Amino acid sequence: MCAHVLVAEDDAMQAELVRRSLLAEGHTATVVHDGSAALDAVRRERPDLVVLDLMLPVVDGFGVCRVLRRGDDIPVLMLTARAAEEDVLLGLELGADDYMTKPYSPRELMARIRTVLRRSGRAAADRRDDPVARAAGLAVDPERHEVRCDGEPVECTPAEFQILLAMATEPERVFSRRQLLRCTRGLDRSSTERAIDVHIMNLRRKIEPDPRRPVRLLTVFGIGYKLSGGRA
């Protein structure tokens, strides 16, 4: 995939490392060093993704993310030295699509960027020989729009399918309601974050041996949901 990425990072050395890694992956990159410049660059260049440091001068990363989410769906990957749980939760609640803490592996960062771009549809995703996402006894086929659970077909609504596809692509990852809602954007514009709870409840009826004691679609209290890799 090839995308244009805005890097908002006040540390010049860190910014250059990210920029070079992006170029090596075939992306293009714009680098800015404060939050105000980041917002200007978003309006001017319309990037496919923003890699956003939290500790920016002028306007911090939380402020930038808050402004972006008032009327924009550009994916945001937060990259910061702040690893406290409350910072992670606030970043997700403000609409960040992913969150990495420093120090980080450039290879992992590029992998996370590929995943966010693929999920958002902002750039053309690479096609593997087998596009089916397999996890937790599920097989989610985006080309045939089919779901199988332990080999048996499962009928899903379009929104349920998109939720399962995102979660099966990254099993064990915790998704906030807002992140899952973005997966269904355009399918039901009247949906709210709480509508995700209803989708999860319906999915549990379809894929769990006992929906009252789920072993696949698990609740992570205070954050959202994850697809557990274990088989029922």
Side-chain angles (χ1 to χ4, degrees):
M1 63 182 69
C2 180
H4 181 59
V5 180
L6 173 65
V7 180
E9 166 64 73
D10 66 333
D11 185 307
M13 292 183 63
Q14 290 283 342
E16 181 63 12
L17 175 62
V18 175
R19 188 188 72 85
R20 290 185 180 183
S21 297
L22 288 166
L23 296 181
E25 289 278 313
H27 303 301
T28 59
T30 297
V31 174
V32 296
H33 300 294
D34 67 69
S36 178
L39 292 171
D40 288 342
V42 168
R43 288 188 287 265
R44 183 177 64 251
E45 302 187 19
R46 306 303 303 166
D48 297 303
L49 180 142
V50 179
V51 175
L52 181 64
D53 181 48
L54 287 188
M55 303 298 289
L56 291 173
V58 187
V59 180
D60 68 12
F62 290 130
V64 171
C65 195
R66 189 177 288 110
V67 171
L68 291 180
R69 287 299 172 254
R70 286 174 185 164
D72 212 314
D73 62 353
I74 293 174
V76 174
L77 190 157
M78 285 188 170
L79 184 65
T80 177
R82 296 173 64 166
E85 183 181 32
E86 56 267 27
D87 291 328
V88 175
L89 293 177
L90 179 56
L92 294 174
E93 288 170 1
L94 287 174
D97 295 86
D98 205 350
Y99 194 110
M100 285 190 68
T101 57
K102 302 174 183 178
Y104 60 88
S105 159
R107 290 181 61 186
E108 182 183 359
L109 174 60
M110 293 304 108
R112 296 280 193 96
I113 286 173
R114 285 194 297 271
T115 297
V116 172
L117 288 170
R118 182 170 62 246
R119 194 166 60 239
S120 69
R122 286 277 180 156
D126 290 327
R127 286 290 185 180
R128 301 174 296 166
D129 291 337
D130 181 7
V132 180
R134 306 177 193 274
L138 299 173
V140 186
D141 188 334
E143 294 186 348
R144 294 182 175 85
H145 210 274
E146 294 177 349
V147 176
R148 289 185 175 271
C149 181
D150 293 333
E152 297 297 321
V154 177
E155 294 295 326
C156 292
T157 67
E160 291 168 358
F161 181 87
Q162 293 300 329
I163 289 170
L164 278 186
L165 179 59
M167 300 181 84
T169 300
E170 298 183 82
E172 303 296 344
R173 174 184 169 175
V174 180
F175 288 83
S176 69
R177 290 179 178 86
R178 180 172 294 187
Q179 289 169 328
L180 292 175
L181 183 61
R182 285 208 192 95
C183 297
T184 70
R185 183 166 289 175
L187 301 174
D188 183 358
R189 294 184 181 276
S190 65
S191 289
T192 65
E193 291 182 29
R194 287 298 173 182
I196 296 301
D197 297 338
V198 177
H199 290 314
I200 294 294
M201 180 178 64
N202 291 336
L203 282 168
R204 283 172 172 164
R205 291 194 185 111
K206 298 176 180 183
I207 69 172
E208 296 284 2
D210 182 354
R212 295 170 299 178
R213 296 182 177 85
V215 294
R216 288 185 167 108
L217 279 175
L218 304 183
T219 300
V220 180
F221 292 101
I223 304 178
Y225 300 99
K226 72 174 182 177
L227 181 65
S228 175
R231 292 183 180 273

